[in-house]
Amino acid sequence: MSGPEDRTRRVLIEAPADLLLDRLTEELATAYGVTESELYQVDYRLSALLPLGDGEALTGPGHPAWRCFDHQEPVLADGGGWFPVGMRGERRGVLRLAPVPDDRTVIAELAGIADALGHELAAVSPGTDVYLTARRARRLTLAAEMQWDLLPGRSRTRPSFSLAGQLEPAYAVRGDSFDWSDNGHRLWLSTVNGMGEGVAAAMLTSLATHALRNARRAGLALADQAALADQAIYDLHRGEQHLSALLLDLDLASGELTAVDAGSPRLILLRDGEVIEQVLEKQFPLGMFEGSDYHEQRFQLRRGDRLFVVSDGVVDATGGDVRYGETALDRFLRRTGPMEPLDAVRSLIGDLRAFVAGDLIDDAVVVCLDWTGPQP
């Protein structure tokens, strides 16, 4: 006979898309005596935990909810508990439950249920706006709506790698973006430094991303992926619009990294506490000329290496009349060594916001990738 955790998971699977939390609350009351539950989702800026219901947003970093989100483990406080909600490394938010006994078995079961909620949120979100609407602190621009829908997620974790990315300004981003995919043996990562303004920039980035996906899914080599995307953009815009991109292909067993630099963002290696900028062969941006020929470069990563990809919107961010610059960037990246990739990305973006005293004006994209080495 199934236990309360299994029954609760089944309730989540069978619940209507818009009533996940309602059905969960009813079942938790019966199975565990939990009478209060609320889902808090992290917003697009990674700076607020927003309730699905009518509660207040949580922004204080010392709050138990943020400790739960940051450390990805249950936190008990004031007779209740906070449990991380996510899926395969994608952090969606936290679930608050009360009352929660200080019982290790019960806490472990509730943590498993919160994890199941994360999977169900990912499954139902394409078919309902309930959860997407609740995780925005203000309205997205149309271009930003297009860009966020284009992303594969914001973080990903497997035994051999962990990665995360973020777009800024989160609620008004235009052309910067990233994409990734893995098959258990290889990881493909592309980062786009977009061109133009508003919806036109978002449409150009969308065309490039879908062209790269089409080529990748056809099994083409990295240089051929770049060539196909280059031709797709040139055929439509005849060189009047183009964009910069960096394409990476990581062999998860050997750590061999293949790269194609199409006028790309910066690629920075953090190894043993030292910041090393990878020297790339500068090639034409995608769509600039007809029939551009792209070449691959190969680098060998070591176990524990960390890669950052940052667009020019990071280095060129301006506070007053002062530019953020490479020196400040390198100094900050050194400090991220102990952090998980999402925390490193969020910290860098937070440092940029503090530097410019608000939201960034120009688009910026930051991606962080850790290769932890081959796994059995």
Side-chain angles (χ1 to χ4, degrees):
M1 185 175 179
S2 62
E5 181 181 356
D6 293 331
R7 291 196 300 271
T8 306
R9 286 172 178 266
R10 173 56 58 184
V11 166
L12 280 172
I13 293 172
E14 297 175 350
D18 60 315
L19 297 177
L20 290 180
L21 191 62
D22 292 344
R23 296 291 189 267
L24 176 62
T25 302
E26 294 170 2
E27 182 61 26
L28 288 176
T30 301
Y32 294 96
V34 172
T35 57
E36 300 176 22
S37 64
E38 180 59 281
L39 171 66
Y40 288 81
Q41 298 180 99
V42 69
D43 85 315
Y44 288 85
R45 292 180 83 226
L46 291 169
S47 61
L49 289 167
L50 304 177
L52 186 62
D54 299 326
E56 295 185 359
L58 305 177
T59 57
H63 194 282
W66 277 108
R67 297 206 307 272
C68 172
F69 183 84
D70 290 338
H71 299 291
Q72 289 296 284
E73 58 186 25
V75 174
L76 300 186
D78 302 322
W82 300 86
F83 299 86
V85 176
M87 183 195 69
R88 303 182 188 276
E90 174 75 7
R91 302 186 201 176
R92 304 189 70 97
V94 296
L95 178 67
R96 183 187 181 275
L97 303 175
V100 173
D102 190 4
D103 181 295
R104 183 175 300 179
T105 300
V106 172
I107 292 171
E109 291 181 0
L110 293 176
I113 290 168
D115 187 64
L117 175 61
H119 283 72
E120 288 305 310
L121 287 171
V124 304
S125 288
T128 178
D129 291 335
V130 169
Y131 308 103
L132 293 174
T133 301
R135 60 177 283 231
R136 50 191 73 186
R138 61 178 185 265
R139 183 177 178 177
L140 291 171
T141 64
L142 177 55
E145 189 86 51
M146 295 168 67
Q147 291 297 74
W148 284 105
D149 277 353
L150 193 63
L151 297 184
R154 194 150 48 182
S155 53
R156 180 90 164 93
T157 300
R158 290 198 66 157
S160 53
F161 73 87
S162 180
L163 81 163
Q166 175 66 3
L167 307 179
E168 281 292 321
Y171 288 89
V173 67
R174 299 173 290 273
D176 284 14
S177 188
F178 56 84
D179 191 31
W180 61 59
S181 177
D182 81 274
N183 64 3
H185 304 284
R186 309 193 73 86
L187 168 68
W188 293 271
L189 170 65
S190 62
T191 307
V192 170
N193 190 359
M195 171 187 177
E197 299 293 331
V199 172
M203 291 177 66
L204 181 63
T205 297
S206 178
L207 173 60
T209 300
H210 282 98
L212 290 169
R213 287 174 177 173
N214 178 254
R216 183 185 74 220
R217 292 164 182 170
L220 300 186
L222 209 60
D224 294 329
Q225 294 176 30
L228 187 148
D230 169 73
Q231 194 61 46
I233 296 171
Y234 185 85
D235 286 347
L236 184 62
H237 297 290
R238 313 307 295 179
E240 293 183 3
Q241 293 191 51
H242 50 81
L243 51 74
S244 300
L246 176 62
L247 312 185
L248 302 175
D249 176 355
L250 176 61
D251 185 317
L252 296 174
S254 68
E256 183 181 63
L257 181 71
T258 305
V260 171
D261 175 357
S264 74
R266 294 180 67 192
L267 177 62
I268 303 169
L269 172 65
L270 185 63
R271 173 179 287 169
D272 299 329
E274 294 298 320
V275 174
I276 306 166
E277 182 163 4
Q278 290 294 142
V279 179
L280 299 171
E281 178 187 352
K282 300 298 182 184
Q283 303 177 69
F284 291 128
L286 303 178
M288 180 174 280
F289 300 107
E290 185 174 16
S292 295
D293 189 21
Y294 293 93
H295 307 283
E296 299 175 354
Q297 290 176 267
R298 288 178 170 78
F299 306 93
Q300 185 60 49
L301 296 185
R302 298 178 189 170
R303 186 190 298 268
D305 278 352
R306 166 167 288 181
L307 290 172
F308 281 97
V309 184
V310 297
S311 65
D312 55 13
V314 175
V315 177
D316 294 337
T318 303
D321 296 326
V322 181
R323 182 169 168 267
Y324 191 73
E326 288 87 353
T327 302
L329 175 63
D330 291 354
R331 182 171 58 248
F332 192 87
L333 293 185
R334 287 190 187 92
R335 294 162 49 189
T336 69
M339 301 178 187
E340 293 295 321
L342 184 63
D343 299 323
V345 167
R346 183 155 62 101
S347 296
L348 175 55
I349 293 295
D351 193 59
L352 284 171
R353 290 198 202 107
F355 179 77
V356 303
D359 283 337
L360 275 66
I361 297 176
D362 294 330
D363 278 10
V365 60
V366 179
V367 176
C368 177
L369 166 64
D370 287 351
W371 182 60
T372 51
Q375 305 293 324

